[in-house]
Amino acid sequence: MFNYFIASKLTESGGGVAILSKPKILAFGIVCNVSLLGYFKYSDFFIENFNLLTGSDTGFVYLTLPLAISFFTFQQIAYLVDSYKGEAKGYGFLDYSLFVTFFPQLIAGPIVHHKEMMPQFSIAENKKISHRNISLGIFIFSIGLFKKVVIADSFAVWANYGFDSTDALSFFEAWATSLSYTFQLYFDFSGYTDMAIGLAILFNIQLPINFNSPYKSFNIQDFWRRWHVTLSRFLRDYIYIPLGGNKKGSGNTYLNLMATFIIGGIWHGAGWNFLFWGGLHGAAISLHRLWQVQGIRLWGWFSWFLTFNFVNVAWVFFRAESWDGAMRVLAGMFHFGNIELSSFVESLSGNINGQDYLFAYILLAFLFVLFLKNTMEISGGLVRNIGTLCFNVFVFVLSVYFMSMGGYTQFLYFNF
């Protein structure tokens, strides 16, 4: 209600005596949204660092994070900015409420732009049952559910063991840990996005694509064009470009890139590890841009290898509960003196700390993400026949079976 009221003031045309100018109204709206997010999400983080700097003993507030606040905050800030620009006129309160609270994508995105969703509400055909959309929606939802409960949660067992254990990790254990989380996060978040898109299609609503095979990227810029696409778009359009983008010289361009990715990092969670993760990606993007300016080009597969391993290493800071935890995993990954070939052979032939055929799973995951079509590519050419039906039923039933066995965890982005 607050944001709709602010947006209505921003779209008003002339007439009357305005107490505040539109730029001030926009600034007020953005500050209120960011302050609310900051209060709920970062209060204890600020208190912890205040205590560390001053030696005080201020108590934590332990606030419960309102469901989806990170996502609906960005979505509504974008709406306010577009209202200020005159690009979001004529929407009623009911349409706006549906836009903000549409349940399939509310919890963890995609971060939807009003132009992508709200015009669909007034299309007469979208208010009729579509059997084609029902079958397509269930198909996409089922693939997403399979990604989450069968693939991602299988990797979660090893990732959690490796990151949460206090023991030193060997070379192969550390790489198994990092790669397990790299694939857990991929299949967990892309699975959620598929499920959100599939559910929305059941209501004849098309949500934007949020994943486009990001682990196929040959450079870090391409990675961010494919990973969490709607977040990357928001950071570009509402932070990077307003900061000046690349219009004020190379020095400011690199500063703007760093600032944008640091903001993106801290948006994910209240911790220095998230800020550092964002800084790593900001530095990588800046370096990539510098290479482009200098005309440096890397050989294709080496470029992919470099990009994937940078992303994999950076995820360690994203996942670790503490700096020490991240250093423990990284120490194992890059301690070449503790490579034990016997443990690797043993893991291939049977198990590694109870995880049967873990490296076979990792190899299979590589094949999945590098050589198979993604969900949107598959669904784009979907043929509705008995074969598709049988595949859909098998995937869905197998996923429900895994859930019934208790082998699932909450979505990772639920924490953010």
Side-chain angles (χ1 to χ4, degrees):
M1 291 172 65
F2 169 82
N3 279 287
Y4 184 76
F5 173 77
I6 295 294
S8 67
K9 292 301 178 184
L10 291 170
T11 55
E12 284 181 352
S13 57
V17 179
I19 299 176
L20 293 175
S21 63
K22 288 187 178 181
K24 290 181 179 179
I25 294 175
L26 174 63
F28 175 70
I30 292 175
V31 167
C32 288
N33 278 279
V34 173
S35 297
L36 198 66
L37 176 63
Y39 172 69
F40 280 104
K41 192 168 183 177
Y42 303 104
S43 291
D44 285 343
F45 177 65
F46 290 135
I47 291 172
E48 178 185 6
N49 287 280
F50 175 77
N51 289 343
L52 188 64
L53 289 173
T54 64
S56 60
D57 192 26
T58 305
F60 295 129
V61 290
Y62 297 111
L63 294 171
T64 300
L65 195 64
L67 198 63
I69 189 171
S70 297
F71 288 88
F72 68 66
T73 297
F74 271 18
Q75 199 159 309
Q76 293 188 105
I77 286 175
Y79 188 83
L80 293 183
V81 173
D82 288 347
S83 296
Y84 172 77
K85 294 178 179 177
E87 299 174 359
K89 293 182 178 179
Y91 297 122
F93 179 66
L94 185 62
D95 282 350
Y96 178 76
S97 300
L98 178 57
F99 162 65
V100 175
T101 63
F102 189 55
F103 80 91
Q105 49 76 227
L106 175 65
I107 310 303
I111 301 173
V112 181
H113 194 274
H114 66 89
K115 290 180 181 178
E116 296 170 317
M117 182 184 288
M118 295 175 79
Q120 298 183 62
F121 300 158
S122 59
I123 299 175
E125 284 298 313
N126 286 349
K127 299 176 183 179
K128 301 176 183 178
I129 292 176
S130 168
H131 296 97
R132 180 177 183 82
N133 281 348
I134 289 174
S135 62
L136 179 61
I138 292 174
F139 179 82
I140 295 174
F141 178 88
S142 299
I143 292 180
L145 184 65
F146 181 87
K147 285 181 181 179
K148 164 60 181 167
V149 300
V150 178
I151 304 178
D153 289 342
S154 295
F155 279 116
V157 175
W158 174 256
N160 293 339
Y161 174 85
F163 276 102
D164 298 339
S165 172
T166 58
D167 298 330
L169 299 174
S170 69
F171 178 83
F172 290 115
E173 289 173 337
W175 276 97
T177 297
S178 67
L179 288 171
S180 291
Y181 183 71
T182 290
F183 288 122
Q184 180 199 358
L185 183 60
Y186 177 92
F187 287 108
D188 185 286
F189 196 21
S190 66
Y192 177 94
T193 301
D194 288 348
M195 294 167 73
I197 290 174
L199 285 173
I201 290 175
L202 294 179
F203 296 92
N204 300 326
I205 299 297
Q206 301 287 334
L207 295 180
I209 294 173
N210 208 29
F211 275 82
N212 185 19
S213 304
Y215 289 169
K216 293 179 181 178
S217 304
F218 282 84
N219 59 66
I220 195 64
Q221 184 180 45
D222 189 34
F223 172 80
W224 279 104
R225 287 172 177 165
R226 294 166 173 264
W227 174 277
H228 206 341
V229 176
T230 56
L231 173 63
S232 301
R233 179 182 62 186
F234 177 90
L235 294 174
R236 180 197 66 203
D237 293 345
Y238 298 97
I239 296 179
Y240 175 68
I241 292 177
L243 285 174
N246 59 358
K247 303 298 183 183
K248 298 182 179 180
S250 58
N252 285 322
T253 297
Y254 298 133
L255 288 176
N256 293 338
L257 286 170
M258 287 296 299
T260 299
F261 277 91
I262 287 173
I263 291 171
I266 202 66
W267 173 83
H268 280 87
W272 288 104
N273 56 318
F274 292 106
L275 189 146
F276 186 73
W277 172 81
L280 281 176
H281 277 274
I285 285 282
S286 299
L287 181 60
H288 172 71
R289 184 176 183 85
L290 180 62
W291 284 4
Q292 283 186 315
V293 171
Q294 298 298 323
I296 299 174
R297 295 289 184 270
L298 299 179
W299 179 68
W301 278 103
F302 178 72
S303 181
W304 170 85
F305 179 82
L306 197 63
T307 302
F308 179 84
N309 279 285
F310 168 80
V311 170
N312 179 55
V313 169
W315 284 139
V316 172
F317 295 97
F318 193 85
R319 167 60 177 83
E321 297 291 338
S322 65
W323 185 265
D324 289 342
M327 290 298 104
R328 184 177 54 81
V329 175
L330 290 174
M333 291 172 67
F334 295 100
H335 185 193
F336 299 106
N338 68 349
I339 298 178
E340 300 174 6
L341 187 60
S342 59
S343 66
F344 177 64
V345 174
E346 178 185 345
S347 68
L348 288 177
S349 60
N351 66 78
I352 177 167
N353 283 341
Q355 300 305 306
D356 293 341
Y357 306 108
L358 175 64
F359 282 91
Y361 293 156
I362 291 174
L363 178 60
L364 197 59
F366 267 117
L367 296 176
F368 271 32
V369 301
L370 294 179
F371 299 107
L372 294 185
K373 292 182 178 180
N374 60 45
T375 308
M376 295 303 105
E377 291 171 333
I378 295 172
S379 60
L382 185 67
V383 177
R384 292 185 296 169
N385 55 29
I386 191 65
T388 302
L389 176 63
C390 291
F391 173 79
N392 202 155
V393 170
F394 171 76
V395 168
F396 185 81
V397 170
L398 183 61
S399 301
V400 173
Y401 171 75
F402 267 70
M403 293 176 66
S404 70
M405 299 297 290
Y408 65 94
T409 61
Q410 70 182 29
F411 288 100
L412 293 176
Y413 263 72
F414 182 84
N415 296 315
F416 308 139

